[in-house]
């Protein structure tokens, strides 16, 4: 069956996965908001860890206005490869518009976390949710033994924001204060890394290199 090229180019990723993996190496490469957006994007990866989304699709899932994501495509290229491709449109002047194909990076074992899709249901501002992901990435057995000022320096954030976000997370039941720091309590949100699968690699067969075999009937 031949697939209509226009339909193929215009499609978007609609199948949500149960979890997304996030490499610890990206903790300082994205601000909290973009880190949470990256998580949402990763939830809709296919078997080859690729996502076809428009900015309007991302804004819909993060419940933001499109204008809030005007710099997202530029910023996200710090952690993944974004390929652009043309899609035909019905417009009196322009023949096509450009869409994005986001290539989610492979798992960096053992330095990654596996976060459940249920995290999107947590009712907190996306900045706070992204900040929580940062905490999960640097925590040791869910504990961070740092004073607020040292934690702020480690994450490249302001001390007041760290203290404010920690209070919001405490009220949401996602952290508790302990001597010399905080303990994260993600419970069912943080999954065992053993369930995470590496992305598949697509190796199309070149028909010119295929050895042709023939069988003779007896």
């Amino acid at each position: 069956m031949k697939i209509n090229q226009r339909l193929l180019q215009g499609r978007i990723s609609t199948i949500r996965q149960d979890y997304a993996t996030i490499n610890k190496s990206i903790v300082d490469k994205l601000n909290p908001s973009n880190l949470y957006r990256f998580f949402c994007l990763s939830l809709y990866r296919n078997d080859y860890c690729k996502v076809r989304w428009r900015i309007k699709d991302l804004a819909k899932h993060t419940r933001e206005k499109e204008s809030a994501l005007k710099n997202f495509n530029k910023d996200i290229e710090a952690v993944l490869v974004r390929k652009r491709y043309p899609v035909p449109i019905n417009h009196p002047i322009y023949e096509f518009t450009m869409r994005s194909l986001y290539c989610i990076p492979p798992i960096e074992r053992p330095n990654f976390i596996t976060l459940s899709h249920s995290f999107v249901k947590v009712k907190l501002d996306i900045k706070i949710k992204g900040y929580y992901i940062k905490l999960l990435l640097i925590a040791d057995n869910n504990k961070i033994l740092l004073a607020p000022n040292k934690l702020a320096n480690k994450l490249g954030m302001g001390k007041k924001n760290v203290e404010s976000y920690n209070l919001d997370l405490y009220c949401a039941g996602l952290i508790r204060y302990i001597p010399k720091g905080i303990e994260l309590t993600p419970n069912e949100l943080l999954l065992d890394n053993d369930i995470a699968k590496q992305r598949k690699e697509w190796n199309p067969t070149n028909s010119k290199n295929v050895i042709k075999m023939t069988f003779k009937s007896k």
Side-chain angles (χ1 to χ4, degrees):
M1 181 180 70
K2 186 176 181 180
I3 301 176
N4 184 287
Q5 186 69 16
R6 186 182 291 263
L7 291 177
L8 185 64
Q9 290 178 322
R11 67 182 178 178
I12 60 173
S13 302
T14 58
I15 300 176
R16 178 188 51 74
Q17 305 298 327
D18 291 331
Y19 64 84
T21 60
I22 305 174
N23 293 325
K24 294 183 178 181
S25 63
I26 75 170
V27 65
D28 59 349
K29 295 180 181 178
L30 297 174
N31 64 36
S33 295
N34 281 336
L35 185 53
Y36 177 70
R37 292 164 184 153
F38 171 79
F39 163 72
C40 292
L41 191 71
S42 299
L43 285 174
Y44 286 81
R45 70 199 183 282
N46 62 18
D47 287 343
Y48 301 94
C49 283
K50 291 179 170 53
V51 184
R52 291 179 185 270
W53 261 10
R54 301 161 295 184
I55 287 296
K56 66 185 295 184
D57 301 313
L58 179 57
K60 177 182 178 181
H61 285 83
T62 58
R63 299 180 181 179
E64 300 174 272
K65 293 182 179 180
E66 285 185 54
S67 58
L69 287 83
K70 62 182 180 180
N71 295 321
F72 176 77
N73 279 337
K74 179 181 178 182
D75 295 340
I76 200 65
E77 289 180 350
V79 299
L80 55 71
V81 174
R82 181 175 69 96
K83 298 180 180 179
R84 304 179 72 214
Y85 62 96
V87 175
I89 56 174
N90 183 18
H91 192 278
I93 300 177
Y94 303 105
E95 296 182 357
F96 60 87
T97 185
M98 299 303 293
R99 293 278 178 82
S100 293
L101 176 66
Y102 301 94
C103 305
I104 307 301
I107 299 171
E108 297 176 356
R109 296 185 182 275
N111 299 313
F112 71 99
I113 63 170
T114 305
L115 196 56
S116 169
H117 71 91
S118 298
F119 189 51
V120 301
K121 300 177 183 178
V122 175
K123 295 182 179 179
L124 288 171
D125 186 275
I126 68 166
K127 290 182 180 180
I128 301 173
K129 294 169 83 168
Y131 167 71
Y132 193 61
I133 295 176
K134 283 181 176 283
L135 295 182
L136 291 170
L137 292 173
I138 67 171
D140 184 9
N141 291 323
N142 285 339
K143 293 182 180 179
I144 301 176
L145 303 179
L146 293 173
N149 61 324
K150 292 185 177 180
L151 179 56
N153 289 336
K154 185 175 182 64
L155 296 179
M157 299 174 58
K159 178 184 175 183
K160 289 185 177 180
N161 282 340
V162 165
E163 291 177 330
S164 175
Y165 293 176
N166 282 350
L167 183 58
D168 287 330
L169 291 172
Y170 173 79
C171 293
L174 291 174
I175 69 168
R176 59 170 166 255
Y177 293 100
I178 59 175
K180 299 182 180 180
I182 56 176
E183 181 176 8
L184 313 185
T185 53
N187 298 325
E188 74 281 356
L189 298 177
L190 190 62
L191 306 179
D192 193 317
N193 281 345
D194 288 342
I195 72 169
K197 298 178 181 178
Q198 183 61 282
R199 70 178 178 183
K200 296 180 180 179
E201 294 295 336
W202 183 54
N203 296 308
T205 303
N206 186 334
S207 59
K208 294 181 180 180
N209 297 326
V210 175
I211 299 176
K212 295 183 179 180
M213 302 179 65
T214 57
F215 297 89
K216 294 181 179 180
S217 58
K218 294 182 179 179

